[in-house]
Amino acid sequence: MKKLSFFLIIILSSLSAAAWPGMPMPKLHVEGRWLMDENGNKVNLHGFGQTYSPWFNEMGSKWNNYDVEECLKYNKGIIDGIMDSGWKMTYIRMHMDPYWSNTPGVHTDGEGDISAFDISRFYKYLSQVFVPMAEYAISKGLYVVMRPPGVCPEKIEVGGEYHKYLIKVWRYVSTLKALKNNPYVMFELANEPVQIKGTDGNYGAGSDACNEALTQFFQEIVDIMRGNGCENILWIPGTAYQSQYAGFAKYPIKGDNIGYAVHVYPGWYGSDAIEPSHELGGNYGGGYDSFAAGWKNQIEPCAAIAPILVTEMDWLPTKYGASWGKSITGKMLGAGFGANFKLLADRTGNVSWMIFTGPEHLARFNGNAGSEGNYNMYNDPEGCIWSTYHWYQEYAGFEMPEVKNVGLYFSPRGIETSDETVILTGSSKGAALIADRGLGFDFNVNGDIEVSIADPDILSWDNGSFTALRPGTTTCEVSYTIDGKSDSKFLKFVSTPFPLLNGYFNPSIWENGSFNEETGEITTGQYGFAGWKYGSGLDLSEYDYLICEVENPGGGLSLRLFDKDNYWTDPYMIDFGGKSRVVVDLKNMKSNDNRKVDPSHIYIVGFWTYGGHKFKVKNIFPSNDPNATAVESISAESDANAPVYNLQGIRVASSISEVTAPGIYIVNGKKILKKF
């Protein structure tokens, strides 16, 4: 066995900063994509948020009328309550709320309206409220991330009024002795930009022109702060309410001590939501796979160059009415939001995060477990308070309840993996070792996990996903250590490009169709399309032909191959025209637009019909012989017990029953199609 070693989860390579009250706090800096301490340790922070205004402090029931003393007393007490409750918090995000810096009595149209901003009031209360709160938090072992008053208006632009406003705020903050170069204070430069005027003159988010303009917008602020000698760590927000970050990979903010501040809510990035939530809510998502795809598109390109700090995120079932995000913890690799977020954040490695649920609720947490049917918002495993409390303890290295079971699961989450797993050639499967600690929610196994693959030409592993590279069968060993105990799990993978199995063959790529796995009957919707999708791309370049045989051709049936990962592009098409067999010349495929279709990366293969017509796929296989044929079953007992050879004439088994990989084999001089 050729052994390849990879690491499944890298949590332990990035420590949770352990700086509780009374302990010295390491100084932090950014080094490459990591937040680092002065001893060279990679660090991730875990925390909560506070806003200093009457409304956000329990809806005006605790203090009012610009009462500095009562504001400080209440909010310091909340910090005390959180730390006394056993939370292993390492940072606090502080909102310098415009309640203090706006002229009293002046009407504003939301927090994005800066018309009432009074710079002298900001100077005054920065010193009287925000600096004292920052100093108190630091005394409790918390790093501080300060954000400016209010939120971004829907449209911003380089040189615009809001840009000038932020420059005014940060120019002053970056000179204030109590904050400038304070090793425990960091700054988040804005809250939730939505659209920006791009370099092409158009407002939007995510386009190349908008990405370039966004970097220009914040680079000017960064340069002013650095020009004042302020070297604090700065966290840069993205557009679309802090959900778009891919552009920073092309247009990064220049300078030292730069990271990116991200918001994550249920329904964002393709994640699951049980109801519309927050500004970008309403997208119910599709479990882990779609969340992972959205995360990969927007967060990972940015995380590849700098650390990520999640500065808003939470989730609770709707019935509690106590969080911004409305969803459930769910299952890693399955449905739900919270568990999948943790899995993705841990796999990315350099993601610090917090929960935005009101800090008064965190301070009231008592650690008492609930029981099914009698949960409350504090002990419901489907809410962020109960699960996050224990995840934070795990990050901090505190002893956790003993593991009851460890399972190896694939996405979409179902039962624990069996000894033999089908994987679609050219596609990936998310995988995770998940531990049950009896607390009602998942823990991903921490530490070094070694994945050894017998044939790396067939299968590869990359930080949480197995990818099938070519057809064939290989074995895999996953070794791990948890709670000081080592164990291994063994798997056999069958990589095949055209399995007619539920979960692999999709009858509804376009319009709603049906597929009966038992009979093999396929029906597309009206003008519909059914087939296979290959997330990583199916490589057919080593073959000359793709041969497909069907029963009951008709209904306009055509076979189509797409070399772009989008159904609405121009594919190669070949009509059956009433015939039961078609042969695709893979080296000379042309689309209707006379574009050469590349066989080295095929993303979709399948069948189009007018709709309502039942047909069966007898055989579909690549070959270098356009006249190749295959049969579906052994025709005689002598064939069933005869030696089996591959197409290169190499003996591979004593009988066809011993063959586990689907494909074409030679038995008694005949070509036999072994189906899975």
Side-chain angles (χ1 to χ4, degrees):
M1 174 184 286
K2 183 176 180 181
K3 189 173 183 180
L4 300 180
S5 296
F6 303 86
F7 295 112
L8 183 61
I9 300 172
I10 53 175
I11 297 173
L12 294 188
S13 67
S14 36
L15 304 174
S16 178
W20 321 130
M23 294 177 61
M25 294 174 65
K27 297 178 181 180
L28 303 180
H29 65 280
V30 173
E31 191 172 319
R33 67 185 292 261
W34 298 100
L35 195 60
M36 307 279 287
D37 69 18
E38 55 198 335
N39 298 313
N41 298 309
K42 298 170 183 176
V43 170
N44 283 331
L45 301 174
H46 302 99
F48 67 103
Q50 265 191 331
T51 296
Y52 306 121
S53 72
W55 175 254
F56 284 101
N57 292 170
E58 302 188 57
M59 296 184 288
S61 64
K62 300 302 178 181
W63 62 273
N64 55 37
N65 200 30
Y66 303 98
D67 190 331
V68 171
E69 184 177 347
E70 287 300 313
C71 172
L72 296 179
K73 179 181 177 181
Y74 169 79
N75 284 288
K76 288 179 180 179
I78 292 295
I79 293 177
D80 290 344
I82 289 173
M83 305 308 281
D84 291 344
S85 294
W87 284 92
K88 302 309 172 188
M89 300 290 190
T90 53
Y91 92 91
I92 180 174
R93 186 214 196 199
M94 291 185 169
H95 180 195
M96 298 186 286
D97 194 276
Y99 171 82
W100 298 99
S101 53
N102 281 0
T103 303
V106 175
H107 173 75
T108 58
D109 185 17
E111 286 192 293
D113 182 351
I114 57 174
S115 61
F117 178 73
D118 183 334
I119 190 66
S120 62
R121 287 180 63 85
F122 178 68
Y123 294 164
K124 176 182 177 180
Y125 291 112
L126 179 61
S127 296
Q128 292 187 13
V129 177
F130 306 125
V131 168
M133 284 306 307
E135 291 174 341
Y136 189 76
I138 293 167
S139 76
K140 295 295 181 176
L142 296 168
Y143 295 91
V144 174
V145 176
M146 304 180 78
R147 57 162 274 205
V151 302
C152 291
E154 185 174 354
K155 294 181 178 180
I156 59 175
E157 63 179 286
V158 176
E161 290 305 308
Y162 198 78
H163 194 207
K164 295 175 183 177
Y165 158 75
L166 289 177
I167 289 172
K168 188 183 299 183
V169 167
W170 293 120
R171 177 178 279 129
Y172 178 72
V173 170
S174 63
T175 61
L176 196 63
K177 184 178 180 181
L179 301 177
K180 175 183 175 181
N181 296 328
N182 186 320
Y184 313 117
V185 175
M186 300 169 271
F187 304 120
E188 182 180 0
L189 297 191
N191 186 69
E192 295 198 339
V194 186
Q195 297 184 54
I196 190 167
K197 187 176 184 179
T199 53
D200 60 359
N202 298 315
Y203 283 96
S207 70
D208 188 73
C210 290
N211 292 337
E212 184 178 17
L214 187 68
T215 294
Q216 293 174 2
F217 185 98
F218 286 112
Q219 188 70 61
E220 184 173 348
I221 298 172
V222 169
D223 291 346
I224 289 170
M225 298 178 76
R226 297 307 192 220
N228 287 337
C230 174
E231 299 302 326
N232 303 59
I233 294 172
L234 305 180
W235 299 100
I236 313 300
T239 49
Y241 302 98
Q242 289 185 237
S243 71
Q244 295 190 343
Y245 290 84
F248 287 118
K250 182 177 181 181
Y251 301 109
I253 300 293
K254 296 178 181 178
D256 297 329
N257 282 339
I258 299 295
Y260 295 90
V262 170
H263 289 183
V264 189
Y265 281 103
W268 294 24
Y269 308 101
S271 63
D272 274 346
I274 57 175
E275 71 170 28
S277 63
H278 210 62
E279 296 93 341
L280 291 188
N283 175 4
Y284 287 73
Y288 173 81
D289 287 331
S290 64
F291 194 177
W295 184 269
K296 181 178 181 179
N297 288 337
Q298 288 299 336
I299 304 303
E300 289 186 7
C302 191
I305 62 170
I308 300 298
L309 181 75
V310 175
T311 56
E312 284 190 25
M313 182 195 65
D314 65 359
W315 70 93
L316 277 169
T318 311
K319 61 184 178 182
Y320 297 121
S323 66
W324 297 92
K326 308 296 190 293
S327 192
I328 59 174
T329 304
K331 296 292 185 183
M332 292 177 180
L333 301 177
F337 173 79
N340 283 326
F341 165 78
K342 181 180 186 291
L343 185 60
L344 289 168
D346 290 348
R347 283 181 169 166
T348 304
N350 59 342
V351 177
S352 300
W353 58 277
M354 57 96 84
I355 53 171
F356 203 42
T357 301
E360 69 274 13
H361 296 306
L362 309 183
R364 292 171 188 149
F365 180 79
N366 60 22
N368 293 333
S371 59
E372 191 168 355
N374 295 292
Y375 291 129
N376 58 44
M377 63 177 287
Y378 301 104
N379 57 31
D380 190 339
E382 293 297 357
C384 62
I385 297 176
W386 179 257
S387 55
T388 298
Y389 177 86
H390 293 94
W391 284 336
Y392 279 10
Q393 288 197 322
E394 179 195 30
Y395 286 135
F398 280 69
E399 186 175 349
M400 303 302 297
E402 185 177 355
V403 169
K404 297 179 179 295
N405 178 61
V406 176
L408 178 61
Y409 296 91
F410 287 135
S411 63
R413 174 80 170 264
I415 61 174
E416 188 177 351
T417 54
S418 60
D419 292 338
E420 188 164 282
T421 300
V422 175
I423 185 167
L424 192 65
T425 311
S427 296
S428 301
K429 271 186 176 291
L433 279 163
I434 298 170
D436 175 11
R437 294 188 181 272
L439 292 170
F441 57 90
D442 290 340
F443 287 80
N444 42 320
V445 175
N446 296 345
D448 295 340
I449 297 177
E450 190 175 82
V451 178
S452 302
I453 298 171
D455 190 342
D457 290 332
I458 292 174
L459 190 73
S460 69
W461 168 262
D462 181 29
N463 194 30
S465 292
F466 287 105
T467 298
L469 305 175
R470 58 185 300 164
T473 301
T474 189
T475 56
C476 171
E477 179 182 3
V478 180
S479 304
Y480 63 93
T481 301
I482 185 168
D483 293 348
K485 300 176 183 178
S486 298
D487 204 349
S488 295
K489 293 185 179 292
F490 296 88
L491 294 172
K492 179 185 288 185
F493 285 92
V494 178
S495 169
T496 179
F498 306 112
L500 285 163
L501 299 170
N502 290 325
Y504 298 86
F505 184 84
N506 182 356
S508 305
I509 292 178
W510 178 247
E511 296 296 352
N512 291 323
S514 64
F515 167 59
N516 187 317
E517 182 179 301
E518 185 174 343
T519 66
E521 289 182 331
I522 302 165
T523 306
T524 75
Q526 185 176 19
Y527 308 119
F529 187 85
W532 301 270
K533 298 184 74 172
Y534 309 91
S536 305
L538 175 63
D539 184 0
L540 295 174
S541 60
E542 65 181 281
Y543 299 99
D544 292 328
Y545 305 99
L546 179 67
I547 298 168
C548 183
E549 298 172 346
V550 300
E551 288 183 7
N552 197 31
L557 181 66
S558 70
L559 176 66
R560 302 185 178 187
L561 287 79
F562 297 73
D563 63 350
K564 298 180 181 179
D565 193 12
N566 184 343
Y567 178 72
W568 296 106
T569 54
D570 54 330
Y572 167 82
M573 299 184 288
I574 183 169
D575 293 334
F576 281 83
K579 300 183 301 231
S580 61
R581 173 186 170 98
V582 294
V583 178
V584 177
D585 184 351
L586 292 170
K587 297 293 193 293
N588 295 289
M589 292 186 293
K590 294 287 185 69
S591 71
N592 275 351
D593 295 336
N594 205 35
R595 181 183 64 84
K596 181 174 175 55
V597 176
D598 189 343
S600 69
H601 50 270
I602 299 298
Y603 290 98
I604 307 172
V605 174
F607 306 91
W608 182 95
T609 79
Y610 293 124
H613 175 78
K614 289 184 179 180
F615 65 97
K616 293 182 182 180
V617 178
K618 291 176 60 179
N619 303 305
I620 178 168
F621 57 92
S623 173
N624 289 321
D625 178 3
N627 299 310
T629 59
V631 297
E632 291 194 41
S633 61
I634 298 297
S635 59
E637 185 176 345
S638 59
D639 289 342
N641 296 315
V644 181
Y645 299 84
N646 63 21
L647 294 180
Q648 287 72 45
I650 300 172
R651 179 167 169 160
V652 295
S654 298
S655 68
I656 195 69
S657 64
E658 295 180 3
V659 177
T660 58
I664 301 172
Y665 299 91
I666 306 298
V667 177
N668 284 335
K670 296 182 293 188
K671 290 179 179 176
I672 301 294
L673 176 64
K674 174 74 173 186
K675 288 188 172 182
F676 182 82

